[in-house]
Amino acid sequence: MKYVLIALIKFYRSAISPYTRAHCKYIPTCSQYGLEAIERFGALKGGALTLWRIMRCNPFSSGGYDPVPDKKLNRK
């Protein structure tokens, strides 16, 4: 499932994103964030982090630097 999600993001970046205007408020962009999160945490947790990031990307957010969390910070 991890590779399917990564392939979908890469398809979006190569086939859809070039034809839309660039307007991402966050650094890294949501697609780059998604790739990093899914590669680092897997399909379930990385997908959830990506979905949460996309939901926060709205006209009322301030944007800015928002990196993928480090695995070391997620201790149990």
Side-chain angles (χ1 to χ4, degrees), residues 43-76:
L44 188 61
K45 187 172 182 179
L49 286 169
T50 303
L51 189 60
W52 178 244
R53 167 70 176 273
I54 292 170
M55 288 173 47
R56 289 186 318 213
C57 191
N58 61 62
F60 305 109
S61 70
S62 60
Y65 181 65
D66 181 30
V68 176
D70 191 16
K71 275 188 173 183
K72 296 176 188 172
L73 297 177
N74 296 327
R75 297 181 193 153
K76 291 186 178 185

